[in-house]
Amino acid sequence: MAKVSIFLVGLMLLQCWVAMTDAEHLKYKDPKQPLNTRIKDLLNRMTLEEKIGQMVQIDRSVASADVVNKYFIGSLLSGGGSVPKPQASAEDWINMVNSFQKGALSTRLGIPIFYGIDAVHGNNNVYKATIFPHNVGLGATRNPALVRKIGEATALEVRATGIQYAFAPCIAVCRDPRWGRCYESYSEDHKVVQAMTEIIPGLQGDIPANSPKGVPFVGGKKKVIACAKHYVGDGGTVRGINENNTVIDRHGLLSIHMPAYYNSIIKGVSSIMISYSSLNSKRMHANHELVTGFLKNELNFRGFVISDWQGIDRITPSPHANYTYSIQAGINAGIDMVMVPLNYTEFIDGLTLLVKNKDIPISRIDDAVRRILRVKFVMGLFEDPLADYSLVHELGSTEHRQLAREAVRKSLVLLKNGENADKPLLPLPKKAKKILVAGSHANNLGYQSGGWTIEWQGVSGNNVTSGTTILSAIKNTVDKNTEVVYKENPDLNYVKSNNFSYAIVVVGELPYAETKGDSLNLTIPAPGPDTITNVCGGVKCVTVIISGRPVVIQPYLQTIEALVAAWLPGSEGQGVADVLFGDYGFSGKLPRTWFKTVDQLPMNVGDPHYDPLFPFGFGLETKPNKAI
């Protein structure tokens, strides 16, 4: 009996020793271990199924904790408008993200997910978030320090919802305003775009001193993974057609479209998204030379490369026509994480078979997973995988709204101010008997925010989120005895017969995103032109254009006494009134050339046929006059 007891005790001690030894060897769970040691240890423990799961990013609409657990999913996302519920609170978002995270943590190895969202001008999908001006407006500020602050605020508002990954910034160099994504570009000039990559340390934090070039960095729980996009040449497509072909020689590519990627990589950007477009007829999602050869090998980018939404489906001329080929071409080109938002099992099965058949080498899979794990370790995701409610107060905070208002003020470009310099119309007097505010965009929060706001294509109306319309801002600013009359589209007789002191007309483009924004005519939608003609034909007026790009304005320019390009200012319309009424001066400069007619396009500064209505960099200035 004693011998049996001794044997049992010995067996128990042996089991304890084995367990302790195994625990000691879980180096990937030990934050004190060197980064590469943790990556190598975890990678060596992973099955092919677990590795492929890390390479998959799916939309929340098809996800659950069980799905994340079963397929070892590495990442989730919310596409435009994909929300937990209408008008979801920060707490609702956190609870959803954490539920998916718990599915990941309950897998054999417990590798946490990160969750991505298109936070392209603030955390713009989320109800009551601060909506900053779109990138074209930020380009007009010429103020990298301001853009960095916007990155910091956006990171806090993204983290406030439990999300760790922002698909921003877009560092496209839009060379043709007919492109539906032109407002996502800071400028036609790569130097302005390069300067605005300062948003990356705002989002991610400053990389540590002496950090090797190309190594990704995310500085803790108040920062997010940034994503430079869309690699490369997305802003140069023929006639500005979205997802089309960019025809350019190597010198042009490296001197116009590539420079902002150099800055992004130096600043430690953690991910780079591939463009839907082609380069000289080669689909970027299948471009091994530029993704692996140039980006990874020459530029030494050590973060991960992610596809766009269903990006590998579009490698074939007819989307999804030969999916096995598309998987092979995309992964072998160097894509590490694939956004397969809906049909993820088809991708997983296809990739698994290609690896088993040696059509894709396991070394390529290991490279992809190593890059994804590096970012997860660097950002501390293994130590802090679950979000708490400590940052919910950051969503739409007063401080962030004040920052957005400042950005609006600095983004406004004054194109015309009176018939001559001696008789400026702006700044407008706050004290006036009666003023007219007109136009489709004067009292529409959704219109002034543009696409990528609450929903993918944007929205119309004032109950969509929190903010201040331009009409409300005008009423907030003028003297209490000034009568403000709002009429969306008055006729000329009405304008002439009401004895207005002056009028403010606010018109522009309707919201759009991506291909739906492609336009060959760039005209202001009806009844905008009639509103300008009727109002400005009857009383002295300032016209404020709300648009993602220059639009046709030359036919109305003689009628308009003062003209302001306000771009897509976002939720804080008070910034427009701040400058119109002289509390602050105009300081913005055109980030893009303003054409005379669309027949001139494409036309960019430096072109031999350059003959603009307003040149790149143009912008009249006014002095603030607080006594008005």
Side-chain angles (χ1 to χ4, degrees):
M1 192 74 179
K3 286 182 179 178
V4 173
S5 297
I6 292 167
F7 173 76
L8 288 172
V9 170
L11 186 62
M12 288 170 67
L13 288 169
L14 179 64
Q15 287 174 328
C16 288
W17 180 81
V18 169
M20 288 169 65
T21 304
D22 191 47
E24 285 172 14
H25 281 100
L26 290 178
K27 292 178 181 177
Y28 77 91
K29 289 194 172 181
D30 181 1
K32 294 178 182 176
Q33 292 288 331
L35 174 62
N36 287 333
T37 301
R38 297 181 79 183
I39 295 170
K40 184 178 180 182
D41 180 63
L42 180 50
L43 196 62
N44 287 341
R45 295 174 187 276
M46 296 172 73
T47 63
L48 177 61
E49 191 179 13
E50 287 166 331
K51 289 176 181 178
I52 287 174
Q54 283 301 298
M55 297 171 67
V56 177
Q57 185 179 65
I58 66 174
D59 188 73
R60 54 151 292 283
S61 61
V62 297
S64 67
D66 289 341
V67 165
V68 173
N69 180 282
K70 180 179 179 180
Y71 295 98
F72 309 104
I73 300 297
S75 180
L76 276 78
L77 83 153
S78 276
S82 182
V83 298
K85 66 180 187 183
Q87 300 186 354
S89 67
E91 290 86 352
D92 292 327
W93 282 92
I94 289 169
N95 293 340
M96 178 191 71
V97 174
N98 279 348
S99 71
F100 297 136
Q101 189 68 278
K102 287 170 185 174
L105 297 176
S106 64
T107 56
R108 182 178 72 94
L109 295 170
I111 304 172
I113 59 161
F114 47 64
Y115 195 105
I117 197 164
D118 283 285
V120 297
H121 61 142
N123 197 3
N124 44 262
N125 278 283
V126 176
Y127 183 61
K128 291 190 175 179
T130 308
I131 308 298
F132 292 93
H134 268 298
N135 286 357
V136 65
L138 299 182
T141 70
R142 300 294 202 276
N143 192 327
L146 175 66
V147 169
R148 180 193 172 104
K149 288 180 183 176
I150 290 171
E152 292 169 353
T154 300
L156 286 170
E157 296 212 15
V158 170
R159 282 287 197 166
T161 55
I163 296 171
Q164 315 95 338
Y165 185 10
F167 301 130
C170 177
I171 54 171
V173 182
C174 175
R175 303 290 285 175
D176 193 324
R178 293 174 290 187
W179 185 37
R181 304 195 80 148
C182 205
Y183 64 76
E184 297 184 54
S185 168
Y186 293 107
S187 179
E188 71 188 45
D189 180 6
H190 70 86
K191 291 177 183 174
V192 175
V193 179
Q194 286 179 271
M196 296 305 167
T197 60
E198 194 61 16
I199 196 171
I200 291 169
L203 291 164
Q204 295 193 156
D206 285 310
I207 57 172
N210 303 317
S211 179
K213 177 191 166 190
V215 175
F217 177 74
V218 183
K221 292 180 71 173
K222 293 184 178 181
K223 298 295 179 182
V224 295
I225 301 166
C227 181
K229 64 183 189 182
H230 308 84
Y231 185 83
V232 60
D234 51 339
T237 57
V238 175
R239 294 192 304 281
I241 297 170
N242 192 43
E243 304 182 21
N244 201 22
N245 188 32
T246 297
V247 180
I248 197 167
D249 61 19
R250 191 166 181 85
H251 172 75
L253 178 72
L254 296 183
S255 62
I256 296 171
H257 297 286
M258 195 68 79
Y261 286 95
Y262 307 151
N263 298 80
S264 300
I265 291 167
I266 288 167
K267 291 173 181 179
V269 73
S270 295
S271 69
I272 290 176
M273 185 182 290
I274 302 302
S275 177
Y276 285 131
S277 58
S278 302
L279 188 73
N280 299 322
S281 301
K282 175 77 172 177
R283 282 284 179 193
M284 277 307 307
H285 274 78
N287 197 321
H288 179 274
E289 179 194 353
L290 282 173
V291 177
T292 295
F294 193 76
L295 179 63
K296 289 184 173 182
N297 294 343
E298 284 195 47
L299 299 185
N300 207 33
F301 174 61
R302 289 291 172 263
F304 65 90
V305 173
I306 188 168
S307 82
D308 208 331
W309 176 282
Q310 296 178 330
I312 61 168
D313 298 51
R314 324 249 183 122
I315 288 172
T316 49
S318 179
H320 208 83
N322 185 343
Y323 199 52
T324 301
Y325 163 76
S326 295
I327 296 170
Q328 182 177 344
I331 299 302
N332 279 339
I335 296 172
D336 303 313
M337 179 170 278
V338 183
M339 207 183 280
V340 276
L342 307 174
N343 298 326
Y344 55 91
T345 55
E346 181 186 15
F347 172 78
I348 290 169
D349 292 344
L351 181 53
T352 302
L353 189 61
L354 285 164
V355 175
K356 287 181 176 177
N357 290 342
K358 296 185 167 52
D359 294 309
I360 295 176
I362 192 67
S363 59
R364 172 75 273 274
I365 302 300
D366 285 348
D367 172 59
V369 177
R370 192 178 292 114
R371 290 166 177 274
I372 294 162
L373 293 179
R374 179 178 288 121
V375 173
K376 290 185 176 185
F377 280 123
V378 163
M379 68 189 293
L381 198 57
F382 280 81
E383 287 69 57
D384 274 311
L386 294 170
D388 57 35
Y389 303 127
S390 62
L391 295 175
V392 295
H393 65 283
E394 298 284 0
L395 188 74
S397 72
T398 302
E399 183 183 359
H400 295 165
R401 292 186 183 279
Q402 289 297 326
L403 177 64
R405 182 174 169 181
E406 178 189 354
V408 174
R409 292 195 295 260
K410 291 178 176 176
S411 70
L412 302 178
V413 180
L414 181 57
L415 298 174
K416 182 179 180 182
N417 191 14
E419 291 308 314
N420 57 64
D422 296 329
K423 292 184 178 179
L425 180 61
L426 297 169
L428 295 168
K430 293 179 183 177
K431 289 183 178 180
K433 186 176 180 183
K434 185 164 66 167
I435 65 174
L436 172 65
V437 178
S440 52
H441 289 54
N443 190 35
N444 196 310
L445 192 61
Y447 282 6
Q448 74 188 41
S449 297
W452 293 111
T453 305
I454 303 301
E455 295 178 12
W456 175 39
Q457 292 294 328
V459 285
S460 174
N462 293 333
N463 60 350
V464 293
T465 191
S466 296
T468 304
T469 66
I470 294 168
L471 175 63
S472 296
I474 292 167
K475 290 178 176 178
N476 293 342
T477 306
V478 296
D479 186 83
K480 65 181 187 302
N481 295 318
T482 298
E483 182 185 355
V484 178
V485 176
Y486 172 62
K487 195 166 179 65
E488 188 170 323
N489 186 30
D491 60 34
L492 182 60
N493 287 336
Y494 176 87
V495 176
K496 283 186 170 180
S497 61
N498 269 276
N499 198 28
F500 293 112
S501 304
Y502 58 82
I504 301 170
V505 178
V506 190
V507 294
E509 295 187 296
L510 303 179
Y512 57 80
E514 300 189 47
T515 302
K516 290 189 178 180
D518 287 356
S519 171
L520 294 178
N521 58 41
L522 293 177
T523 52
I524 298 169
D530 287 342
T531 309
I532 294 172
T533 303
N534 290 340
V535 176
C536 299
V539 66
K540 60 183 178 180
C541 77
V542 53
T543 297
V544 178
I545 303 293
I546 305 293
S547 68
R549 53 201 166 184
V551 290
V552 174
I553 198 69
Q554 190 183 31
Y556 325 110
L557 197 55
Q558 283 300 109
T559 316
I560 296 167
E561 195 151 354
L563 179 63
V564 177
W567 315 110
L568 297 168
S571 60
E572 305 313 302
Q574 190 65 49
V576 176
D578 286 343
V579 184
L580 288 180
F581 291 96
D583 290 333
Y584 295 83
F586 281 92
S587 61
K589 303 297 177 188
L590 281 182
R592 320 199 42 76
T593 298
W594 204 293
F595 58 86
K596 291 176 180 174
T597 70
V598 291
D599 296 337
Q600 297 175 293
L601 301 176
M603 178 177 65
N604 296 283
V605 63
D607 288 350
H609 65 289
Y610 198 67
D611 181 29
L613 183 63
F614 299 106
F616 169 83
F618 180 80
L620 302 172
E621 296 186 6
T622 60
K623 295 271 194 268
N625 185 355
K626 296 188 184 283
I628 287 176

